Amino acid sequence: MKLSCLQENLSKGLSIVGRAVATRATLPITQNVLLATDQSQLKLVATNLEIATTCWIGAKVEEEGAITVPARLLTEFVNSLPSERVDLSLTPKTRSLSVRCARFEGHISGQDAGDFPPIPEVTEGVEAAIDAEALHEAITHVVFAAATEDTRPVLTGVYAEFKGKALTLAAADGFRLAVYKTSLSKKVAEKPQAVVSAQDRYEAIIPARALHELSRLLTEQEEPIGITLNPTKGQVLFKLKNAELVSQLIQGTFPNYAQLIPQSYVTRTLVDTAEFLRATRMASIFARDGSGIVRLQITPGGEAAPGKMVVSARAEEIGDNVGELDAIVEGEAAKIAFNGKYLADVLGVLHGGQIALETTSPSSPGVIKPVGREDYVHVVMPMFVQW
Amino acid sequence: MVYILYGEDNFSIHEAIQDIKRGLGDPDLLAVNTTWLEGKQLSAGELSAVCQTMPFLAPKRLIIVEGLAGRFEAAVRGRRGRRPAPPQPQGWQAFAECIQSVPDHAVLVLVDDKLEATNPLLRALSPWAEVREYRPLRGERLVRWIEGRVAQAGGRMAPPAVRKLAELVGPNLWALSAEIEKLLLYADGRRVELADVSQVSSYAREADVFSLVDALLGRDMATAGRELHHLLASGATPPYLLFMIARQLRLLILARELVDSGGSRDKIGQRLDLTNPFILDKTIDQARRFSLERLTQVYGRLLEADIAIKTGHLPGETALELFLAELSPGGEPG
């Protein structure tokens, strides 16, 4: 293998695949990154056996070849090089990759590319496409609500439903639920292109970690993202301009979340999102030592005074705080307590505008929706407190 | 509702948790509402945050905490029983308070290993919680447990087979339930007999290693040879046998030393980390019958055989045969 490319491109490519590199690997080669020539490009691949990221960068290839080298070592070295042309050449006999740039030269011992786990090719299944920004928004709105502990594998994933031109993402961790609806730019169809598709609804549970990685790559994308879903093989492929991410799907049944979303309410409170977030964060400082409980007291407005929401927290022997927000309150006065972290998480992704908080009783779920948008519903379970 | 389930029999604790789960309705919805917490790093605030949150789609939230009460043992004994680990007596009050105010929608299960009766959290919570201790089953209770388990699985087992199994495996119910399952599959509908246990159970092989070691220490080379061939024929590999013989000799040397210094049966069991009473009794009995000199001599020979195999000088079976031959009364130099 012999090729040259720009330091900038190589460094960027390594940062794209870098997050898929295994950290605590049972299979040591997964801590390596695979470098291979692919027509007139350099292909970089990393996998932790759950997700695999591939990225192509422009290169002048003189000799074909492939090798795997420790990802961290190569990335740190390349990142330190000056922004000039990098020459990569492989001595196949010693499996040593030489990296030359300006007046610097490094030699990295590698392992055979043939030993690298094969990256699944998702060619069959159903296909759809979505605008990069829309997908990024959808992921950011739900991914934080997925569970992080492995004891409930299904909940560590995000439920995705493709139906015609609509994509719904949902995540829940037993304490909250986030549901986001968006549109696809190309509706789902089975591949190879069937004239009339047998069905137009497909579902899958995609690991939240994979979507988290994907959303990181989406910020610089302008072209639509291609999605290929293969439920039988349990894989999904996201095709970006110069990169691809393949992830295993999580097997199992996602809880029927629709029944959790309350259809009615007793009190509907409209408040400014940024102010509510500020008050919640402030209360969380005091709530930290007392189970994170943030109390909301909602009072409807009258002729003399506007409606208000009081956000408070108290911790035994530590102190307390109270914040007051203007609110438009529809319905009865209400009292409800939430975990401050969960409130801050959801308010944090809603950037600005107003939100509506719909409540029924201190022990029924609270529903948060951005005002003027129909695409997002967030349900938070309240906390049991003595008022 | 608060349960405290503790004791060394973690199989029965596991079964008890399954029972509690069954009583809490739809398993899918319960799975969403089940949280496992590691008691060692948990703070009272974190525990109460989970307990106080209303259940999601279901009537109850199940919280299982492992090793919380054990954290507050007055003097946690070190593994060797000598240096006590630093006690961590503070902080249990915060947990006691938080657990006593667990709301109705939460089912909290504290799971622990063996706890002292003086454990402060256990004492504080006893009036509030359903406390169940799971001690290891022994003797008749163990036999009855095996019979019950066999009947539950819809099988039958001859009483001598039940006793043999109890004797071989001891109070490790995880291993016992696996052995029972294996035996019932092997018997394929008919009654499990004593011969089946010797034939199928991997624990029977361990017992055969005892007989082999017994014979070779006692210079009964005919029996030792027979046992060796029987073990090899039943599929035990030479490295496995070498390992098992070495392990048994090491235990015997330690046991002999402890016997000589007047150690009790319980103390020897604790020091050797032997929980199976059958193996413990056998080991002490063997240790009493042979001198420390004889034990170390055989151990030394075993090392030679080990080196011969691992350096490729001799094939495994030949090295073991040679080892036996050298230990026979005629084979010993001097």
Side-chain angles (χ1 to χ4, degrees):
Chain A
M1 184 170 85
K2 199 170 178 194
L3 60 98
S4 38
C5 59
L6 290 175
Q7 184 270 346
E8 214 179 279
N9 291 348
L10 184 56
S11 166
K12 200 166 159 196
L14 287 171
S15 85
I16 288 175
V17 300
R19 296 280 278 270
V21 175
T23 41
R24 280 165 296 163
T26 40
L27 188 63
I29 200 166
T30 53
Q31 292 175 331
N32 285 10
V33 57
L34 169 73
L35 293 95
T37 54
D38 190 356
Q39 286 154 3
S40 62
Q41 286 182 310
L42 171 64
K43 181 169 87 167
L44 304 170
V45 188
T47 180
N48 58 14
L49 303 179
E50 183 187 73
I51 46 180
T53 314
T54 309
C55 163
W56 287 266
I57 59 172
K60 191 168 158 237
V61 179
E62 284 177 46
E63 233 178 79
E64 303 273 318
I67 184 75
T68 80
V69 289
R72 230 180 112 191
L73 180 65
L74 180 67
T75 310
E76 282 182 21
F77 183 65
V78 170
N79 287 349
S80 325
L81 290 173
S83 175
E84 284 182 42
R85 196 185 76 184
V86 179
D87 295 310
L88 298 175
S89 63
L90 171 69
T91 319
K93 221 172 172 182
T94 56
R95 291 197 208 98
S96 166
L97 178 74
S98 110
V99 185
R100 196 179 302 164
C101 178
R103 296 168 68 187
F104 301 95
E105 187 173 354
H107 299 273
I108 301 175
S109 305
Q111 272 178 281
D112 227 352
D115 296 337
F116 201 73
I119 304 305
E121 281 184 27
V122 189
T123 46
E124 291 165 357
V126 291
E127 263 199 336
I130 182 167
D131 177 64
E133 205 189 320
L135 182 57
H136 183 258
E137 277 294 292
I139 295 174
T140 341
H141 275 80
V142 300
V143 79
F144 63 90
T148 46
E149 349 155 16
D150 290 341
T151 48
R152 299 163 291 174
V154 166
L155 298 185
T156 61
V158 171
Y159 170 82
E161 184 199 51
F162 299 83
K163 194 175 176 188
K165 265 197 116 175
L167 168 66
T168 306
L169 296 186
D173 65 358
F175 298 93
R176 53 192 163 162
L177 162 76
V179 184
Y180 190 90
K181 289 193 167 87
T182 186
S183 336
L184 297 165
S185 55
K186 193 176 119 200
K187 73 182 235 180
V188 279
E190 265 175 57
K191 215 182 162 187
Q193 271 79 21
V195 184
V196 183
S197 107
Q199 60 178 101
D200 70 344
R201 184 180 167 276
Y202 301 92
E203 52 181 17
I205 305 172
I206 307 169
R209 250 172 50 86
L211 289 182
H212 193 77
E213 285 314 309
L214 177 66
S215 74
R216 222 171 48 89
L217 307 181
L218 291 174
T219 45
E220 290 177 18
Q221 290 283 320
E222 281 165 12
E223 278 143 65
I225 310 302
I227 304 173
T228 310
L229 184 70
N230 188 333
T232 30
K233 272 193 177 171
Q235 289 159 346
V236 62
L237 162 77
F238 295 95
K239 211 174 165 96
L240 286 74
K241 193 180 169 209
N242 284 319
E244 279 182 10
L245 187 142
V246 180
S247 171
Q248 300 291 335
L249 297 176
I250 297 174
Q251 302 303 321
T253 317
F254 201 77
N256 178 9
Y257 62 85
Q259 55 175 300
L260 180 73
I261 304 173
Q263 299 305 319
S264 61
Y265 55 82
V266 172
T267 311
R268 186 168 194 262
T269 313
L270 266 59
V271 283
D272 183 85
T273 313
E275 273 185 40
F276 190 14
L277 176 60
R278 196 215 318 247
T280 303
R281 285 196 176 139
M282 228 184 280
S284 297
I285 304 172
F286 285 86
R288 218 178 283 153
D289 288 304
S291 334
I293 298 174
V294 170
R295 294 155 195 257
L296 308 179
Q297 273 174 282
I298 296 156
T299 325
E303 279 171 20
K308 64 177 182 182
M309 178 197 268
V310 175
V311 182
S312 66
R314 60 167 180 258
E316 297 278 328
E317 292 168 29
I318 291 178
D320 54 44
N321 99 311
V322 179
E324 204 177 293
L325 311 177
D326 284 338
I328 301 168
V329 184
E330 199 184 297
E332 298 169 16
K335 278 178 181 177
I336 193 162
F338 293 108
N339 187 323
K341 185 187 175 301
Y342 299 158
L343 277 186
D345 279 348
V346 54
L347 296 173
V349 299
L350 287 174
H351 355 266
Q354 272 193 321
I355 62 106
L357 170 67
E358 297 173 358
T359 51
T360 307
S361 77
S363 59
S364 332
V367 181
I368 294 173
K369 294 173 180 171
V371 173
R373 274 164 54 188
E374 292 296 312
D375 56 2
Y376 188 55
V377 179
H378 193 94
V379 181
V380 191
M381 298 316 298
M383 294 186 77
F384 176 85
V385 293
Q386 308 287 352
W387 285 91
Chain B
M1 185 74 216
V2 180
Y3 293 89
I4 303 180
L5 312 179
Y6 73 99
E8 287 155 276
D9 176 11
N10 50 21
F11 181 86
S12 301
I13 292 181
H14 176 82
E15 301 258 292
I17 293 175
Q18 300 309 318
D19 266 352
I20 294 173
K21 283 188 176 177
R22 272 191 286 276
L24 294 177
D26 187 279
D28 284 343
L29 291 180
L30 185 66
V32 177
N33 283 291
T34 304
T35 312
W36 285 82
L37 297 168
E38 181 69 58
K40 285 195 183 76
Q41 280 108 32
L42 192 68
S43 76
E46 283 164 350
L47 178 62
S48 112
V50 178
C51 295
Q52 309 276 90
T53 308
M54 296 287 169
F56 189 83
L57 280 176
K60 296 280 180 191
R61 183 177 284 286
L62 174 66
I63 304 107
I64 301 163
V65 188
E66 282 179 289
L68 179 65
R71 206 167 117 175
F72 305 112
E73 289 282 82
V76 183
R77 258 194 300 281
R79 197 175 143 71
R80 297 272 166 200
R82 265 176 292 151
R83 264 181 50 198
Q88 206 187 0
Q90 315 89 345
W92 63 267
Q93 293 91 340
F95 282 99
E97 211 170 291
C98 141
I99 292 167
Q100 282 164 13
S101 57
V102 160
D104 290 342
H105 66 249
V107 176
L108 176 65
V109 184
L110 301 184
V111 176
D112 270 279
D113 281 344
K114 200 174 166 184
L115 294 178
E116 301 291 336
T118 53
N119 187 296
L121 192 62
L122 180 65
R123 278 172 58 166
L125 294 176
S126 288
W128 295 80
E130 181 166 338
V131 180
R132 297 186 207 156
E133 185 181 358
Y134 294 88
R135 291 183 196 205
L137 298 178
R138 294 192 200 280
E140 274 310 305
R141 289 179 60 211
L142 186 60
V143 168
R144 278 204 303 278
W145 184 88
I146 298 177
E147 286 166 349
R149 190 87 189 163
V150 170
Q152 204 183 348
R156 286 170 305 141
M157 195 181 278
V162 172
R163 290 193 180 276
K164 183 79 182 167
L165 198 59
E167 181 186 292
L168 288 174
V169 185
N172 180 348
L173 301 189
W174 292 99
L176 266 178
S177 69
E179 291 296 323
I180 291 169
E181 197 179 338
K182 198 159 73 182
L183 284 164
L184 291 180
L185 282 172
Y186 179 73
D188 194 20
R190 67 171 168 79
R191 194 168 83 147
V192 177
E193 302 296 338
L194 183 59
D196 298 325
V197 177
S198 324
Q199 186 80 31
V200 175
S201 170
S202 52
Y203 288 81
R205 190 180 279 171
E206 207 169 313
D208 289 345
V209 174
F210 270 113
S211 318
L212 170 61
V213 172
D214 218 29
L216 62 90
L217 285 170
R219 297 188 169 83
D220 177 1
M221 290 309 140
T223 310
R226 209 168 44 239
E227 286 291 350
L228 176 68
H229 288 132
H230 166 70
L231 279 161
L232 287 169
S234 72
T237 60
Y240 167 80
L241 287 176
L242 210 60
F243 168 78
M244 289 304 288
I245 297 169
R247 174 175 175 268
Q248 186 56 22
L249 283 170
R250 228 174 9 246
L251 288 175
L252 285 173
I253 292 170
L254 287 170
R256 179 75 224 187
E257 271 197 352
L258 289 166
V259 166
D260 288 346
S261 64
S264 68
R265 176 184 179 276
D266 283 351
K267 195 178 162 204
I268 296 174
Q270 210 179 350
R271 288 288 297 273
L272 301 186
D273 216 1
L274 287 179
T275 47
N276 184 327
F278 168 73
I279 296 181
L280 178 62
D281 289 339
K282 271 264 190 191
T283 304
I284 296 176
D285 173 53
Q286 267 183 348
R288 285 219 172 92
R289 281 190 287 122
F290 303 104
S291 70
L292 197 58
E293 195 192 350
R294 173 71 180 161
L295 291 169
T296 39
Q297 179 207 12
V298 176
Y299 197 60
R301 288 272 179 221
L302 193 65
L303 175 67
E304 286 167 27
D306 198 8
I307 291 173
I309 296 176
K310 286 179 181 158
T311 52
H313 283 298
L314 289 175
E317 283 188 37
T318 318
L320 280 172
E321 302 255 9
L322 207 62
F323 164 67
L324 285 196
E326 282 177 354
L327 283 173
S328 64
E332 284 175 85

